Amino acid sequence: MNCNDLVSDTIIRIKNALLTKSSFVCIPQTDLTLAIIKVLKQEGFIESFSFGFPIKKLVYVLVKLKYKGIKQAPIITNIKRISTPSSRIYFKVSKLEKLAGGVSVYILSTSQGILTDRLAKLKRVGGEVLFLISSFIFVLGWVSLCFIVFYESSFFNSSNL
């Protein structure tokens, strides 16, 4: 296997597996893909993974994808490559602090490894934005939070006081 863009290859394999509602996907094992998969597991986008599966002289990571509900809707609703080999996109810490959090998660390659935008903000490091990932759970959580804030603000602004 000769792949020039491991991040895009990983994203496409996950997208294709989600479209076919596969439970598992095999991704070629490298330090980069393993770090990305670990971050996806920590953030709750995938159920589990195990590495070190040799198939035809290559070593793969077996990733178990996460689905929700009776209809088995995928947890990952959108995954999009941001920085490409021909067009690198970098975010400084100041730009990360301006991002609206909650709905989507940016995955960054930093000097401290592969991190989410939230962790990069906490560690005060910037880096290359690899991709953006959205989840049904994050969207519902954000909508619920907005509803609660709106409801409470309208309650306190009314004549109930």
Side-chain angles (χ1 to χ4, degrees):
M1 179 198 81
N2 187 8
C3 182
N4 295 329
D5 189 6
L6 294 170
V7 176
S8 290
D9 183 56
T10 302
I11 290 171
I12 292 299
R13 285 173 185 258
I14 291 172
K15 272 186 180 180
N16 289 342
L18 290 170
L19 288 173
T20 60
K21 296 205 183 242
S22 297
S23 297
F24 294 94
V25 61
C26 286
I27 298 171
Q29 182 178 325
T30 64
D31 292 339
L32 178 64
T33 57
L34 202 54
I36 290 170
I37 291 167
K38 285 179 182 177
V39 169
L40 293 178
K41 170 68 175 129
Q42 289 169 354
E43 291 295 313
F45 289 110
I46 61 174
E47 197 165 314
S48 63
F49 68 94
S50 50
F51 53 92
F53 288 96
I55 301 172
K56 294 184 181 179
K57 298 181 183 179
L58 292 174
V59 181
Y60 287 87
V61 179
L62 186 64
V63 177
K64 184 171 185 194
L65 300 172
K66 205 175 204 181
Y67 295 94
K68 182 169 176 55
I70 297 170
K71 293 188 177 182
Q72 293 295 298
I75 294 293
I76 299 171
T77 56
N78 186 25
I79 185 167
K80 181 181 177 186
R81 181 78 154 114
I82 304 292
S83 185
T84 62
S86 62
S87 175
R88 305 282 184 183
I89 307 292
Y90 295 93
F91 280 1
K92 294 180 181 177
V93 177
S94 58
K95 178 131 184 188
L96 286 173
E97 290 171 348
K98 293 177 184 175
L99 292 176
V103 177
S104 299
V105 176
Y106 288 93
I107 307 296
L108 288 89
S109 176
T110 69
S111 59
Q112 297 185 9
I114 305 295
L115 301 173
T116 63
D117 56 339
R118 289 187 300 268
L119 277 176
K121 284 181 212 176
L122 289 173
K123 293 185 175 192
R124 308 279 308 150
V125 293
E128 181 184 356
V129 183
L130 298 177
F131 60 94
L132 172 75
I133 188 164
S134 302
S135 171
F136 183 68
I137 291 173
F138 284 121
V139 172
L140 280 181
W142 185 75
V143 170
S144 301
L145 178 66
C146 289
F147 177 75
I148 290 168
V149 169
F150 174 75
Y151 179 75
E152 288 178 356
S153 65
S154 64
F155 176 77
F156 288 120
N157 289 335
S158 66
S159 62
N160 295 335
L161 294 176

